[in-house]
């Protein structure tokens, strides 16, 4: 096998444009096969135009859905906004899907890590968690687990919506476009401050605001 080389090929792309391209490889045969694959598509100029068309179309769809959801306009350059609109839409759908598909064990891990996500059920959870009698704890847990699971799933949805309402900087979505590398529990760490308040927390906040 020879050393790595860059080979030049000229042919016509499917868009009808004849172009010269460079393909690297350890053999001319390998490079020619890769070149043949590339000539089976659009030329670089047409492919760029097609990508821009698709991105614009996706952004328009995302913008319409954002309006329907009541989400605010994003801020940034025109190019950033076009990209971030699609990223926000896909992030929303991804987290919603994770929350709907999460099993009881995954949701249990979330509300044990972030008890505040349970809102009005938080005190009940902490009471069970502190129960010294393991048999009583097991009974209380069996009675309340379904409620905790439902509340967690519902409150993730509400926190996500609040988060999207508040996060209008396009560069946030661009910087965090690898969100699919995070699991639901990790994403809940991003959403924690947006979890719904319990009635007691709301009252405490109201009194604090009055004092100020």
């Amino acid at each position: 096998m020879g050393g790595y080389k860059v080979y030049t090929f000229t042919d016509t792309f499917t868009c009808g444009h004849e172009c010269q391209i460079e393909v690297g490889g350890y053999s001319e045969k390998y490079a020619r096969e890769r070149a043949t694959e590339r000539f089976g598509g659009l030329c670089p100029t047409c492919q760029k135009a097609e990508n821009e068309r698709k991105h614009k179309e996706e952004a328009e769809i995302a913008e319409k859905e954002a309006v329907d959801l009541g989400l605010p306009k994003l801020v940034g350059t025109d190019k950033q906004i076009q990209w971030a609109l699609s990223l926000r839409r896909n992030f929303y759908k991804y987290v919603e899907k994770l929350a709907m598909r999460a099993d009881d064990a995954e949701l249990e891990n979330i509300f044990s890590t972030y008890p505040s996500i349970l809102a009005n059920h938080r005190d009940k959870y902490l009471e069970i968690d502190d129960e010294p009698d393991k048999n009583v704890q097991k009974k209380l847990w069996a009675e309340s687990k379904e409620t905790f699971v439902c509340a967690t799933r519902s409150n993730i949805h509400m926190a996500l919506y609040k988060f999207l309402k508040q996060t209008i900087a396009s560069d946030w979505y661009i910087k965090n476009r690898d969100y699919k590398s995070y699991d639901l529990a990790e994403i809940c760490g991003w959403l924690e401050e947006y979890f719904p308040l319990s009635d007691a927390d709301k009252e405490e906040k109201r009194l604090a605001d009055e004092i100020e």
Side-chain angles (χ1 to χ4, degrees):
M1 182 181 290
Y4 185 88
K5 294 181 180 179
V6 175
Y7 299 87
T8 301
F9 302 95
T10 301
D11 207 336
T12 303
F13 286 86
T14 56
C15 54
H17 296 132
E18 184 179 84
C19 296
Q20 186 179 84
I21 63 172
E22 293 183 340
V23 181
Y26 286 98
S27 71
E28 184 176 357
K29 182 181 179 218
Y30 173 85
R32 188 175 296 279
E33 288 173 351
R34 301 289 80 76
T36 299
E37 291 176 2
R38 288 177 59 180
F39 284 122
L42 301 175
C43 74
T45 300
C46 289
Q47 186 61 62
K48 181 180 179 182
E50 175 63 10
N51 290 343
E52 290 175 349
R53 183 195 67 77
K54 285 183 178 179
H55 292 158
K56 182 179 179 182
E57 184 179 279
E58 290 171 359
E60 288 172 349
I61 293 172
E63 186 170 28
K64 182 180 183 303
E65 290 185 3
V67 171
D68 292 341
L69 285 169
L71 297 178
K73 291 182 178 295
L74 296 175
V75 297
T77 66
D78 290 344
K79 187 174 182 179
Q80 285 178 326
I81 291 172
Q82 184 183 79
W83 190 8
L85 280 168
S86 297
L87 289 171
R88 180 174 66 177
R89 172 178 181 253
N90 294 336
F91 174 67
Y92 172 75
K93 290 188 173 184
Y94 175 71
V95 179
E96 286 282 272
K97 183 169 69 174
L98 286 184
M100 289 304 299
R101 292 183 177 180
D103 58 23
D104 288 1
E106 187 173 3
L107 294 171
E108 179 184 340
N109 174 57
I110 289 170
F111 65 69
S112 63
T113 304
Y114 308 105
S116 60
I117 198 173
L118 294 172
N120 284 332
H121 303 291
R122 179 189 59 194
D123 290 346
K124 180 65 175 177
Y125 166 76
L126 295 175
E127 178 184 318
I128 295 174
D129 195 49
D130 290 338
E131 173 57 51
D133 189 318
K134 295 304 179 183
N135 290 326
V136 173
Q137 185 184 59
K138 185 176 180 181
K139 179 175 180 296
L140 292 172
W141 178 252
E143 293 172 350
S144 304
K145 183 177 179 180
E146 184 176 352
T147 298
F148 295 158
V149 164
C150 290
T152 299
R153 185 176 279 115
S154 174
N155 290 339
I156 288 173
H157 172 78
M158 286 191 280
L160 175 62
Y161 183 70
K162 289 180 182 178
F163 175 84
L164 296 177
K165 290 273 284 186
Q166 293 293 321
T167 308
I168 62 172
S170 294
D171 63 355
W172 186 92
Y173 296 97
I174 294 170
K175 288 176 182 176
N176 293 283
R177 60 186 180 276
D178 64 338
Y179 56 83
K180 287 188 177 181
S181 64
Y182 297 90
D183 62 25
L184 186 59
E186 291 171 316
I187 290 176
C188 280
W190 299 357
L191 306 179
E192 187 173 10
E193 66 178 288
Y194 300 94
F195 293 157
L197 295 175
S198 66
D199 290 341
D201 290 336
K202 288 178 183 176
E203 179 62 16
E204 184 177 329
K205 184 176 184 303
R206 185 188 68 79
L207 292 173
D209 290 343
E210 286 183 358
I211 293 174
E212 291 179 1

